[in-house]
Amino acid sequence: MKVAFTSDNIAGASEFVFQAMMEASQGDAMPYGNDDGTAQVTRMLSELFECDVDVFLVSTGTAANVLSISALTPPWGSVLCHTESHLLNDECTAPEFYTNGARFVGVGGSDAKMDPAQLTKLVSQKIGDVHSCQPSVISLSQVTEVGSVYSLEEIQAITDVAKEAGLPVHMDGARFANALLALGCTPAEMTWKAGVDIVSFGATKNGVMAAEAIVVFKQTLEAKGISSETVAKELGYRRKRGGHLHSKMRLLSSQMIAYLTNELWRKNATHANEMMALLQDGLKTIPGVKINTPAQANMLFCTLPTDMIEHLQAEGFGFYGGRWEEGVIRLVTSFRTPKEGVEAFIASAKAFAAQEKA
């Protein structure tokens, strides 16, 4: 295969991450997160987000998302998220399992971003009605499932609705770094300063082997009358009950320390975003190619002629298609996507289009 654009999950881990894990493996350390490295991660994330935070490390994005949500909603509650969100469509039934049956309700909106007007209507329906599930938490994806990015103003519009309804807000930040660079803002500005209460801080897609951080913003929860201490306690027990409290937590911590050191997270995401910008700019010039939702970070959905898709696959390029309407494919770049591979993909598509025109 020449190069694959199937997912940023296909890339391995940065050398710095493996080196950090090897160093952390030496000697003995207290288990279950009682090591110095885990404490260091909390300090580093507090510094990154410019506030005091609680941190819970897990090894998968699914665990980060569903544990976050489960600590914020009762079994009779409802979780409001976009109809195309990962929580609603791509977590199997883990969300329902971890929340003990809470309902996940899809909210419409263009470019996979929740429409505040629709959200406002849903958070106020049948409040106090014992026959209906009760709105309990709002979750937004940043980057979204179609490659778009919520602007700071759009995040604020969602959290304003939540604040009015007294609901906590969760951010699925599987591609957190990619979105942050697209907006050119600080981690604080994209989260708690915009009204987000808890974030699944993704790292695995951006150069870590297997480490994600649940980051709890104490002050925003307290401002809504939600005890951050209670949420932290819930997360602690739920992480253990769910089988995600690693005994050798230092090996997860070492990955996150390496990720946060010397802005590795920023360097990796910058490359992924730049490769997508190059890819998208090239595709725009090819007859027959339609950009569906313009990519702002490192993921793009576009429509290609069926025979062009078959040609590119025969040439050895990998990407996902077939899950959506005919001709729609998804392209994702990673921190290891080679520039030469992007250029080769564009050149191959252009050559095919020119041949068809001739």
Side-chain angles (χ1 to χ4, degrees):
M1 183 176 290
K2 288 185 177 179
V3 65
F5 301 99
T6 48
S7 172
D8 35 13
N9 286 317
I10 67 173
S14 295
E15 313 81 70
F16 303 104
V17 172
F18 279 118
Q19 184 62 40
M21 291 179 70
M22 290 174 65
E23 292 174 1
S25 295
Q26 305 306 309
D28 297 330
M30 292 298 289
Y32 301 110
N34 295 306
D35 57 285
D36 294 338
T38 300
Q40 183 180 344
V41 170
T42 298
R43 291 194 298 270
M44 293 177 82
L45 285 170
S46 291
E47 181 178 348
L48 183 71
F49 285 101
E50 305 173 46
C51 67
D52 187 24
V53 297
D54 283 322
V55 176
F56 298 84
L57 292 176
V58 292
S59 55
T60 71
T62 297
N65 283 336
V66 297
L67 286 170
S68 296
I69 293 297
S70 71
L72 297 172
T73 184
W76 58 86
S78 63
V79 181
L80 305 173
C81 50
H82 195 273
T83 52
E84 296 184 59
S85 69
H86 207 77
L87 273 173
L88 201 58
N89 297 295
D90 294 286
E91 301 282 24
C92 192
T93 56
E96 291 81 1
F97 176 78
Y98 276 84
T99 59
N100 294 319
R103 180 169 296 171
F104 285 71
V105 178
V107 182
S110 60
D111 297 332
K113 295 187 280 191
M114 283 183 285
D115 179 355
Q118 292 188 38
L119 183 63
T120 299
K121 182 178 179 180
L122 286 169
V123 299
S124 59
Q125 286 183 341
K126 297 186 177 182
I127 301 301
D129 183 352
V130 73
H131 300 284
S132 302
C133 59
Q134 298 296 293
S136 301
V137 60
I138 296 168
S139 179
L140 59 92
S141 301
Q142 185 76 320
V143 176
T144 74
E145 282 66 33
V146 300
S148 59
V149 174
Y150 282 91
S151 67
L152 296 184
E153 294 74 20
E154 288 171 328
I155 295 173
Q156 190 67 61
I158 296 298
T159 61
D160 283 347
V161 174
K163 184 177 181 181
E164 182 68 24
L167 301 181
V169 178
H170 164 258
M171 176 181 284
D172 176 354
R175 296 182 173 92
F176 186 94
N178 304 94
L180 192 74
L181 293 178
L183 294 180
C185 64
T186 68
E189 289 169 338
M190 198 173 79
T191 53
W192 65 271
K193 286 187 176 181
V196 174
D197 301 293
I198 185 169
V199 63
S200 299
F201 181 75
T204 304
K205 294 181 187 294
N206 194 38
V208 162
M209 188 185 82
E212 311 277 310
I214 300 170
V215 181
V216 181
F217 303 110
K218 302 178 183 182
Q219 60 199 54
T220 59
L221 284 172
E222 296 291 344
K224 289 179 179 175
I226 301 171
S227 169
S228 62
E229 184 177 348
T230 298
V231 170
K233 185 176 181 180
E234 282 266 334
L235 279 166
Y237 281 109
R238 287 178 180 275
R239 180 174 60 169
K240 175 61 179 178
R241 179 178 181 266
H244 290 285
L245 179 62
H246 287 251
S247 60
K248 298 182 180 180
M249 189 68 76
R250 58 173 161 159
L251 299 182
L252 268 69
S253 301
S254 62
Q255 296 177 60
M256 193 62 72
I257 290 170
Y259 186 65
L260 297 171
T261 298
N262 296 325
E263 296 198 315
L264 178 62
W265 63 272
R266 182 182 293 274
K267 295 171 186 174
N268 285 355
T270 295
H271 178 79
N273 285 11
E274 287 178 347
M275 291 303 98
M276 177 50 69
L278 179 65
L279 181 58
Q280 181 170 231
D281 288 345
L283 289 172
K284 286 178 180 178
T285 67
I286 302 174
V289 175
K290 175 189 174 185
I291 304 298
N292 297 340
T293 300
Q296 294 175 262
N298 69 318
M299 179 164 55
L300 172 69
F301 281 80
C302 56
T303 302
L304 276 61
T306 303
D307 47 2
M308 183 184 288
I309 292 175
E310 293 172 351
H311 163 77
L312 290 167
Q313 290 173 330
E315 286 285 294
F317 295 102
F319 45 82
Y320 280 135
R323 289 181 59 186
W324 309 277
E325 59 189 69
E326 185 177 357
V328 174
I329 66 170
R330 188 188 79 165
L331 302 169
V332 186
T333 50
S334 77
F335 75 100
R336 278 197 176 150
T337 299
K339 182 179 180 182
E340 297 78 11
V342 173
E343 292 171 338
F345 183 89
I346 295 168
S348 183
K350 278 186 176 180
F352 181 84
Q355 179 181 338
E356 288 293 291
K357 186 177 181 181

